[in-house]
Every structure is written in C-alpha cells, then in structure tokens.
Amino acid sequence: MILQIDPGALIILFRETAVLFAIYGIYVLSLNLEVGYLGLPQFGKVMFLALGGLTVGGITTKIALEIYKATIASQLGIDPLADIDRYCSAYQYQTVTIINNIFSMSPLYGTLFFLLSITLAALLAGVFGVLMAGPALRLREDYLGILLLVSAETIRVITTYTPPIACGVFGAVVPDPFAWMGSYRPWGYLAITALFLLLTLVILERLGNSPFGRALRAIRDAEVAARVFGKDIVKFRVRVLATASALSGVAGALLVFYNNFVNMGQFVPLYTFIAWAMLIIGGTGNNIGALIGVAVYYALERIISIYKESIRSIVNVDPIFFQYIIFGIAIILVLMFRPQGIFGEKPSKTLSRNILEKLRKEV
C-alpha cells in the first residue's frame, strides 16, 4: 500500500534526514580513517561522540550559565550553578529560554558560543583519542577492541549517574546558538552541518591521498614491512586516533545542537555498531563509499518508519526490530557477495607520470 504523504511533511522529512546524514557522515568518515585506512578495531567509537555531547551539555552550557547568571538571577531569582541538582530538576527550560532570548538578539554571542563548543568538543575528544593511543600500541587487535568498548561504556555510565556533569539522568537542555535565525533556523542548521561535512570530506580525501594516507595503508596491510622501511608506527597511530576522535567530538556536538538536548545515557554501544554497519555497506577505505553507506542506511530507515504500520500488518513484527533484521541481512549479504562494500577501496591518487618525470628532471 502506497501512503499519501503531504508535500510539506515530505520536505521536513528530507531536511531532517539531510541534517542527520551530514552529522553521521562526519562520524562515519572518522571511523573510516581508523578502520579503513589504519585497520584499528574501533569498537568504542561512541565514546568520542559522547564526549562531544558532554562538552556542550556539561561544559559550554555551564560557561553560558556563569556568563549570564546575573540576568538569570534577576528574572528567576536563582543561581543555577549554586544548586546544580535543583537547576537540573526544575529550572533548565526557563533558564535556557533566557539565554536563547539573548542569542536571538545577538547573533555574535550565539556564534561565539557555537564555535567555542565545537572547538572544545574537538579538543576534549582529541585528547581522549591520544590517551587511547597508549593501549592501542600495546594490545592485540581483539583485546584492544574489548578495551575500547568497555571504556565507552564506563564513560557513559559515569556521566549518566553523575548529575553535576551533564544533569545526569535528567539530561541537559542546551542553549540554541542559532536562535537569531528565527524560522530559518532548520534550513540554516542544515547548511552549517553540510559545510562541516564537506570540510571533513575534503580534509580526509587529501589526507588519504597524501604520503601519510599511503603510509597508513602500508601499516594496515603489512606492519612489519612498514617498520622495516622506517615508518614510525607509534606516531601514525597517535595522529590517526587524535584526528578521528576530534572529528567524532565535532559530530557529537553537532548532534546535541540539532536536538538542543543531551542525555548521556543515550550513547549506547549501538551507536558504534550502526556506524560500522554504514561503513561495511558503503565500503571501508573509501570516503565516498562511507557516505553512500550512511545514505543507504537512512534511506532504508526512513522507508521502514513511513511504512511501519503496513509492515506490522504483514509480518507481525515491531518495526524497530524489523529494522535491525533488515540491516543484519544487508550486512550478511554484503559480506558474502561484495565484502569490499558498494564502493570498494581504490588506489591512492598520486601525481601523473608526466609530472613525476618533470620533477625528476628538475632534481
């Protein structure tokens, strides 16, 4: 049965899906750098997405509360940071509304808040990525995967049940830095996330086709040979983990600003394995393939959500579980018949033969 969808609702559906595609595109591209290029068993990827959310909900929001506490006190008669439990349970929405009103009248303040949040999210996640590089140098692949998975769960549990961090189980309402856009805010945020995705794709494409990217592939395929040829494996792994983690932190911050809310309990391991599913379907070692995997995932997810009642009447399965079944089957089929994904890895782009010969003559 074909459902009749209102054109206005269809436009909104497309816009919201495009925003999520851009955010998760950044997330999956960063995973591809670790898995597709370097071959790390990154099973704790959601940890760095959570750190981006933690930065916005637990750090920069508190900075905004401190900056505007006089205005908040004059209107609500409270100091939010003086009694964080009371603030989290009773005054979040009123307080954030006051800050949003300030941002709506001052685009500069809202933009500075957004840039500060993105920068700190990248720094915090990048630092944790460097810290995780230590175990990455000493553990075998299977043990490293287990450690990263456990580390992600540890951070989720600690931040969820520690109210002073990001309001714990209540979740943290965050200010909207683009309140000044008014009714154009949804489309404006789509443009911003698309710009971040484009920048990420350009940077990683240039990185992957550089000598650095070719060295990563060499380490992935033959680590001993790479060592023999003088490649410092430690430095390469540290740089990759720092870069990919920072990008994941940016994606986490963008996701929180999309929802204007963050609950640290939402960052379950499923987020890691959804990213893996997207990457496997699209193709590891190929940035365009990774984005195609994200697009395929969201296309199927939206189709299932639209026709969920029809699906329920036919197969008598909850659409949520049916979605997992479909993607499980898709991954199995890809691994069986096209293990390289829809778009497999391609050789790194190098200079043409004519340019190389010209450079040799100049030398």
Side-chain angles (χ1 to χ4, degrees):
M1 181 178 66
I2 299 177
L3 300 180
Q4 297 297 323
I5 303 176
D6 178 69
L10 190 61
I11 291 174
I12 294 174
L13 178 65
F14 169 78
R15 183 186 65 207
E16 303 307 304
T17 304
V19 172
L20 290 174
F21 167 79
I23 294 172
Y24 280 93
I26 297 171
Y27 182 49
V28 175
L29 284 174
S30 69
L31 179 64
N32 188 42
L33 180 62
E34 296 170 315
V35 176
Y37 283 88
L38 189 56
L40 285 176
Q42 178 53 281
F43 295 134
K45 191 63 179 175
V46 70
M47 170 171 55
F48 305 102
L49 191 73
L51 288 171
L54 173 65
T55 302
V56 180
I59 299 177
T60 55
T61 297
K62 289 186 174 65
I63 293 174
L65 293 175
E66 180 64 27
I67 293 173
Y68 299 114
K69 68 177 182 180
T71 305
I72 295 169
S74 65
Q75 296 188 33
L76 297 180
I78 63 167
D79 181 356
L81 298 180
D83 188 352
I84 196 69
D85 290 333
R86 184 183 177 199
Y87 162 75
C88 290
S89 61
Y91 290 101
Q92 285 198 77
Y93 288 96
Q94 300 95 313
T95 302
V96 170
T97 299
I98 294 172
I99 298 176
N100 287 343
N101 290 336
I102 296 172
F103 288 163
S104 65
M105 295 182 292
S106 178
L108 177 61
Y109 292 160
T111 304
L112 290 176
F113 175 75
F114 174 74
L115 294 177
L116 175 65
S117 300
I118 293 295
T119 302
L120 290 181
L123 288 175
L124 181 62
V127 168
F128 268 79
V130 173
L131 294 177
M132 287 293 103
L137 304 175
R138 296 175 177 84
L139 296 177
R140 288 187 337 192
E141 291 186 356
D142 46 358
Y143 293 111
L144 175 60
I146 294 171
L147 175 66
L148 291 170
L149 178 62
V150 171
S151 299
E153 272 295 273
T154 301
I155 288 180
R156 182 184 71 85
V157 171
I158 291 174
T159 54
T160 300
Y161 297 102
T162 308
I165 295 179
C167 286
V169 295
F170 294 106
V173 181
V174 302
D176 181 6
F178 305 107
W180 51 273
M181 290 184 179
S183 60
Y184 296 101
R185 199 272 186 190
W187 291 107
Y189 197 66
L190 172 59
I192 290 168
T193 54
L195 177 60
F196 272 93
L197 175 61
L198 180 61
L199 289 174
T200 302
L201 178 61
V202 170
I203 291 171
L204 292 184
E205 274 291 290
R206 291 182 65 86
L207 191 66
N209 292 314
S210 68
F212 181 82
R214 293 193 288 275
L216 294 183
R217 287 188 171 101
I219 294 171
R220 177 198 64 191
D221 296 334
E223 183 176 327
V224 175
R227 288 183 187 275
V228 170
F229 282 98
K231 301 300 180 182
D232 192 332
I233 309 299
V234 174
K235 288 184 178 179
F236 279 101
R237 286 182 174 173
V238 170
R239 291 171 183 171
V240 166
L241 281 168
T243 303
S245 300
L247 290 173
S248 298
V250 170
L254 292 173
L255 181 63
V256 170
F257 281 125
Y258 170 71
N259 296 316
N260 288 324
F261 179 83
V262 59
N263 187 320
M264 298 306 298
Q266 76 184 76
F267 295 104
V268 294
L270 180 63
Y271 279 78
T272 295
F273 298 110
I274 287 177
W276 270 88
M278 294 173 176
L279 186 59
I280 290 172
I281 292 173
T284 59
N286 188 321
N287 290 320
I288 300 300
L291 294 181
I292 294 297
V294 178
V296 169
Y297 176 89
Y298 273 109
L300 290 176
E301 192 269 340
R302 294 306 185 191
I303 291 173
I304 292 172
S305 66
I306 291 173
Y307 294 101
K308 60 183 178 181
E309 293 304 325
S310 300
I311 293 171
R312 190 195 301 272
S313 64
I314 295 173
V315 298
N316 195 26
V317 175
D318 190 299
I320 296 177
F321 299 108
F322 184 74
Q323 175 181 326
Y324 297 150
I325 294 171
I326 291 296
F327 283 109
I329 294 173
I331 291 173
I332 291 173
L333 292 175
V334 168
L335 292 176
M336 287 179 62
F337 299 105
R338 192 172 176 83
Q340 70 271 32
I342 297 175
F343 287 87
E345 182 178 351
K346 296 181 179 180
S348 299
K349 295 179 181 178
T350 58
L351 297 175
S352 66
R353 180 176 298 177
N354 293 333
I355 295 177
L356 289 174
E357 290 178 353
K358 182 178 179 180
L359 290 174
R360 290 193 189 100
K361 292 178 181 179
E362 291 178 356
V363 173

